[in-house]
Amino acid sequence: MPKVSDEYTIDGLVSGDNLKSAASVRSKKYEIKTVTSDPSLLKTEYLDKGWKIQKKIKSGTKIIKEKTFGSQFENEIWNIFYKMGFEEFNSRSEKFEIARFESGVPKQIDVYARSEHTICIVECKSSETPHTSSTNRVDVRDAINDIIAMKKERMEESIFRHYYNKEGKRNTYKIIWMLALKNIEISDKDKERATNSDIYILDDSLINYYEQLAKHFGTTAKYMFLGNYMSNKKIPGEVTSVPAIKSMMGKYTFYSFVIAPEKLLRISFLSHRGNSQLTSIKTYQRIAKKNRLESIAQYIKEGGENGTGGIFPTSVVVNLSSDKLRFEPGPNKNKSSSQLGTLYLPNEYNSAWVIDGQHRLYAYSKLEEEAKTASLPVIAFENLPEAQQAKLFVDINGKQEKVENTLLLEIKANILRYSKKGNDRLEAIYSQITLDLNSDKKSLFYDKIVEANVPRNQNKNITKTMLVDELKRSRLIGAYDSKNPKDYIRGCLYVDEFDGTCQHVENIICEYYQLYLKNHVIKTQWDLGSGENGFLCTNHGIKSTLRLLTYILEYIEGSLLKEGTGQKVRDLDRNKLIAEIEPYIQPVIQYLESASPTDLSLMKKSAGESGITSTTDHFATLVNNIYPDFQPLRAQNYREKHSQENRVRNEKGRETGQSLENMIRIDVVQSLKSTFSEDLTGWWGQGVPA
């Protein structure tokens, strides 16, 4: 077939006022249409193909059929893009085609979604029941190959020709190629092939993430979506310039200016999306709450008490993190350190992180007209260091609500990971591991950690602060390097720069506690949390056993060193490392299994650092009883201290017993004397039975 001609157009696209009705059709689970009432034709053409009669009407017969699972999934993806604010779509779920430019051969497209400057082309593959990558390998591989073929045959050129004919100008849209999967796990090999071909995978987790994002932010979610896939890439169109004042705040440069909200929304973002979509959407929801967004939008639309329009005299605070920021000073006749001039904002997605004023800015996402015409005062810092961004966010927001304690962890995890200081990067790892332990449904700690603004109960009593502090204290991941503050000394559980280490440590911690839970008695204690007879799943229990894990790993590291193989703990396969750990915790498991409720209660109540240390040393001594070279000094010190405490307790017990004995003797004799008589024949002879 010949390649696409200059006059090429794409049929079946819908935009503007027609979008709402198209979305309504797409959101329905059933197809409904009116057809002939001829009985034989009705049967052969429709009823035999799964349609059912809904009702007879004057113009014919109204029939209904449930959409296929695959069709419903395509509609689900279509509607997510619609809710995110994309502006043009394929109107039909079937037989929407675009011709390849080189060959002219048409290809059916499942979802076509265009925003102002970007087009997303999505191939959809689904399974009614969850399948592994091996089961669906062929389908996934074929889908990736189809997209690669479309790219090779320059289908994007066909799209550009369509818009050239429609708009009369060459507009080279950015094309994002995607493969959406439902209930299909993609293999690492296929994932790598897709990545190398610039094909983005939308799995179940990401689909849910963007669905929640659209639900929370409405059409502004489009900019967050594009920011994730086109971060720091140029937004087509003119660079936004604004009159601005350049000045210094401490040692940091900032600009003060006024801008239309729509222009700032394009380049702004609220959260550096981490490796957990669940964590990311919670971060969004904490930073900008939906009910506040809606109430502020209503205030802007309807005005204050006098109906004069919403007024916000305070500035939105952002950090501009692009090297393409440009400021042209005007004639400065004053000797002031401030300069008046023109600021050219970076014309890139994800280049302005919103530090304060999130609700004021994102409320405009629900107000199309006001977003274009309103004036929003802004203070913009220029390339603040990562640690300073986090500190400024906390300084501004941290004292407003209790929820910010959790939010601080998310900010640290997502910003400090890029810091040039080793200590900051370690802080980001501690924070991310804690967040992952809490948000990963496979984690033993899932739904066991206290959330902000939610009262503690016996099942949720472990605190994030405790976990971060213990990870830091253990030095298992790393430690401050005084000789090189830009880096850190790697600990025995360090395996990779960030994501790899976070995942490895989360796995080790969960599998370590899984060893305890093999014992049904301790599993019951874990499930009880801080309730009666519960111990392990409390701050005290986690602290003491995490410290024991540190001792065990140090011991294993020492043993490997003695063997002279050159191998270290970090070189061990995870399964092998867990197998190495298991024997050393058996004495502790046996103790916890047989401990009385009183013993468990006393351990929980021995509050403070001294109580944690005492419990940890007790556990280390139990291990030492079986493995004599394990922590010998610590075990010896504990035994001596424990022995001394026992001697003191025994001496006090004897003294108390003797005192009680004397008190009882005196009281009994006095009672007998008052009842009978003072002489011996009376109180003794009559009072004491023969």
Side-chain angles (χ1 to χ4, degrees):
M1 292 182 69
K3 75 177 195 175
V4 170
S5 67
D6 292 341
E7 294 77 27
Y8 179 76
T9 58
I10 299 172
D11 296 323
L13 292 174
V14 62
S15 59
D17 294 338
N18 296 322
L19 263 182
K20 191 173 182 180
S21 59
S24 176
V25 172
R26 291 267 186 176
S27 63
K28 288 181 171 63
K29 191 176 179 180
Y30 294 88
E31 290 182 72
I32 300 174
K33 58 184 176 181
T34 302
V35 296
T36 177
S37 292
D38 182 289
S40 60
L41 197 59
L42 186 64
K43 183 177 186 305
T44 56
E45 291 296 319
Y46 299 105
L47 300 185
D48 289 347
K49 295 177 181 179
W51 290 86
K52 294 180 180 179
I53 296 173
Q54 188 182 42
K55 62 179 178 179
K56 302 278 188 180
I57 55 176
K58 287 183 179 180
S59 57
T61 303
K62 187 170 281 191
I63 58 175
I64 187 170
K65 183 173 76 169
E66 185 175 3
K67 295 174 183 176
T68 64
F69 187 83
S71 179
Q72 288 184 48
F73 177 53
E74 290 174 19
N75 290 338
E76 178 187 348
I77 299 299
W78 192 99
N79 269 297
I80 288 173
F81 281 93
Y82 170 70
K83 291 171 185 175
M84 285 196 296
F86 281 70
E87 298 151 12
E88 187 176 41
F89 292 83
N90 54 320
S91 60
R92 299 184 300 274
S93 59
E94 297 177 1
K95 294 187 179 178
F96 171 76
E97 297 177 332
I98 300 176
R100 298 172 172 90
F101 179 73
E102 293 290 350
S103 64
V105 175
K107 174 68 175 74
Q108 188 210 322
I109 303 299
D110 294 333
V111 177
Y112 178 100
R114 180 183 67 84
S115 69
E116 187 178 358
H117 302 293
T118 310
I119 295 168
C120 294
I121 296 177
V122 189
E123 185 81 3
C124 299
K125 292 292 178 185
S126 60
S127 170
E128 291 193 50
T129 56
H131 279 68
T132 62
S133 53
S134 57
T135 310
N136 288 274
R137 179 73 194 277
V138 175
D139 282 348
V140 172
R141 187 175 62 234
D142 289 347
I144 292 171
N145 289 336
D146 280 346
I147 298 173
I148 291 172
M150 286 188 273
K151 294 177 74 174
K152 279 184 178 177
E153 294 199 53
R154 297 171 60 205
M155 183 181 280
E156 73 275 3
E157 183 60 30
S158 302
I159 295 169
F160 298 155
R161 296 274 172 125
H162 164 80
Y163 287 105
Y164 178 81
N165 291 325
K166 184 179 178 183
E167 299 167 2
K169 61 179 180 180
R170 179 77 175 178
N171 191 339
T172 52
Y173 289 87
K174 301 283 185 183
I175 308 288
I176 299 177
W177 302 86
M178 295 187 142
L179 173 59
L181 303 174
K182 189 175 187 70
N183 287 335
I184 297 175
E185 177 190 330
I186 186 170
S187 70
D188 291 339
K189 188 174 181 179
D190 286 335
K191 191 180 294 183
E192 183 181 1
R193 179 165 168 75
T195 301
N196 293 338
S197 303
D198 290 326
I199 300 168
Y200 296 100
I201 304 297
L202 290 176
D203 59 14
D204 291 299
S205 175
L206 266 176
I207 290 166
N208 179 61
Y209 168 74
Y210 287 117
E211 197 166 29
Q212 293 298 316
L213 202 63
K215 184 177 179 181
H216 194 73
F217 286 103
T219 56
T220 303
K222 169 178 66 179
Y223 299 120
M224 300 176 186
F225 171 88
L226 294 173
N228 286 336
Y229 295 101
M230 305 184 71
S231 182
N232 302 122
K233 291 185 179 179
K234 186 178 178 183
I235 302 173
E238 294 182 4
V239 175
T240 299
S241 62
V242 290
I245 297 173
K246 180 181 180 181
S247 192
M248 300 290 291
M249 191 176 295
K251 60 180 180 180
Y252 300 111
T253 301
F254 77 94
Y255 303 89
S256 180
F257 56 89
V258 173
I259 192 172
E262 182 188 50
K263 293 181 178 179
L264 185 57
L265 282 169
R266 287 181 186 176
I267 63 173
S268 68
F269 66 103
L270 285 178
S271 171
H272 302 258
R273 187 162 66 86
N275 61 354
S276 166
Q277 281 80 50
L278 179 60
T279 297
S280 299
I281 195 65
K282 284 185 176 179
T283 306
Y284 280 127
Q285 291 166 344
R286 289 190 181 102
I287 296 175
K289 294 175 181 171
K290 188 176 180 181
N291 57 350
R292 285 195 66 192
L293 291 172
E294 290 172 347
S295 63
I296 290 174
Q298 185 177 1
Y299 170 70
I300 295 169
K301 186 78 175 175
E302 299 177 2
E305 293 180 1
N306 299 322
T308 55
I311 297 173
F312 298 105
T314 55
S315 298
V316 172
V317 181
V318 302
N319 176 62
L320 298 172
S321 56
S322 171
D323 295 332
K324 298 178 178 62
L325 188 69
R326 183 162 59 93
F327 180 76
E328 291 183 356
N332 192 4
K333 298 180 181 179
N334 301 321
K335 294 183 179 180
S336 169
S337 59
S338 299
Q339 287 182 300
L340 179 63
T342 302
L343 177 66
Y344 294 86
L345 294 170
N347 203 30
E348 297 175 348
Y349 294 104
N350 271 25
S351 54
W353 182 50
V354 185
I355 298 172
D356 187 44
Q358 301 89 351
H359 293 95
R360 274 167 280 156
L361 173 61
Y362 281 88
Y364 282 100
S365 66
K366 302 176 180 297
L367 304 168
E368 185 176 350
E369 186 60 35
E370 288 81 356
K372 295 176 181 177
T373 58
S375 296
L376 200 63
V378 178
I379 289 177
F381 288 91
E382 179 181 8
N383 292 319
L384 275 179
E386 291 84 357
Q388 192 61 33
Q389 290 181 48
K391 183 178 184 303
L392 184 58
F393 180 93
V394 176
D395 287 346
I396 293 174
N397 299 283
K399 295 180 182 178
Q400 294 181 10
E401 296 183 58
K402 187 178 179 182
V403 72
E404 300 302 345
N405 293 329
T406 296
L407 187 54
L408 172 58
L409 283 184
E410 292 161 356
I411 296 301
K412 282 182 177 179
N414 292 322
I415 295 181
L416 295 186
R417 66 181 292 181
Y418 304 106
S419 175
K420 295 178 181 177
K421 295 181 180 179
N423 246 14
D424 287 343
R425 297 200 300 278
L426 276 175
E427 190 77 28
I429 292 175
Y430 305 143
S431 300
Q432 188 62 58
I433 291 168
T434 301
L435 292 168
D436 291 345
L437 284 169
N438 185 40
S439 62
D440 186 352
K441 289 187 177 180
K442 297 176 183 176
S443 164
L444 282 176
F445 291 83
Y446 180 72
D447 211 29
K448 292 284 187 183
I449 297 175
V450 179
E451 295 288 357
N453 290 341
V454 177
R456 268 195 196 196
N457 58 53
Q458 69 179 43
N459 293 317
K460 297 184 80 166
N461 59 88
I462 298 171
T463 62
K464 294 185 176 82
T465 304
M466 179 277 292
L467 287 170
V468 170
D469 289 346
E470 284 305 310
L471 289 170
K472 187 184 300 184
R473 186 185 188 281
S474 72
R475 299 163 68 93
L476 293 173
I477 298 159
Y480 175 68
D481 188 352
S482 58
K483 294 180 181 178
N484 185 11
K486 291 184 178 180
D487 206 351
Y488 49 86
I489 301 166
R490 271 61 173 162
C492 65
L493 291 186
Y494 174 90
V495 294
D496 199 5
E497 185 58 33
F498 191 90
D499 291 335
T501 294
C502 290
Q503 188 62 62
H504 181 64
V505 176
E506 181 194 349
N507 290 338
I508 292 295
I509 289 174
C510 287
E511 291 179 29
Y512 169 65
Y513 283 103
Q514 194 65 57
L515 295 176
Y516 288 92
L517 302 192
K518 286 181 180 179
N519 183 290
H520 74 279
V521 174
I522 299 177
K523 175 66 166 64
T524 301
Q525 292 178 14
W526 177 273
D527 292 339
L528 286 169
S530 61
E532 188 178 359
N533 295 349
F535 168 74
L536 189 59
C537 195
T538 63
N539 275 352
H540 191 126
I542 297 300
K543 276 187 177 184
S544 54
T545 47
L546 275 180
R547 292 184 191 183
L548 178 65
L549 174 62
T550 304
Y551 299 155
I552 292 171
L553 291 174
E554 289 172 351
Y555 178 70
I556 294 172
E557 186 95 303
S559 300
L560 290 171
L561 185 64
K562 288 178 184 177
E563 290 172 7
T565 61
Q567 202 174 32
K568 295 186 176 182
V569 165
R570 74 163 62 97
D571 302 322
L572 297 179
D573 170 78
R574 190 172 84 233
N575 293 331
K576 186 174 181 181
L577 179 57
I578 292 297
E580 289 279 345
I581 292 169
E582 186 168 15
Y584 299 106
I585 65 170
Q586 292 309 312
V588 179
I589 289 174
Q590 290 168 15
Y591 170 78
L592 291 175
E593 179 185 24
S594 60
S596 68
T598 303
D599 290 338
L600 294 173
S601 180
L602 285 173
M603 276 199 300
K604 280 194 298 186
K605 290 178 180 177
S606 54
E609 185 60 29
S610 62
I612 303 295
T613 302
S614 178
T615 302
T616 308
D617 289 348
H618 175 49
F619 291 164
T621 305
L622 293 173
V623 181
N624 175 258
N625 291 337
I626 308 299
Y627 302 95
D629 56 342
F630 178 85
Q631 294 284 325
L633 184 60
R634 182 171 290 275
Q636 181 184 336
N637 291 340
Y638 176 79
R639 285 194 183 95
E640 289 177 357
K641 182 182 176 184
H642 196 62
S643 177
Q644 177 65 24
E645 287 173 350
N646 282 339
R647 282 197 297 272
V648 171
R649 279 196 293 268
N650 288 339
E651 289 173 6
K652 287 184 176 179
R654 281 193 293 272
E655 291 173 3
T656 304
Q658 290 171 357
S659 176
L660 283 170
E661 186 180 342
N662 290 333
M663 289 170 61
I664 292 169
R665 184 185 299 115
I666 292 168
D667 184 67
V668 169
V669 171
Q670 290 297 332
S671 297
L672 289 171
K673 285 180 178 181
S674 63
T675 304
F676 299 99
S677 65
E678 291 283 338
D679 60 88
L680 191 62
T681 56
W683 72 267
W684 177 262
Q686 297 177 35
V688 180

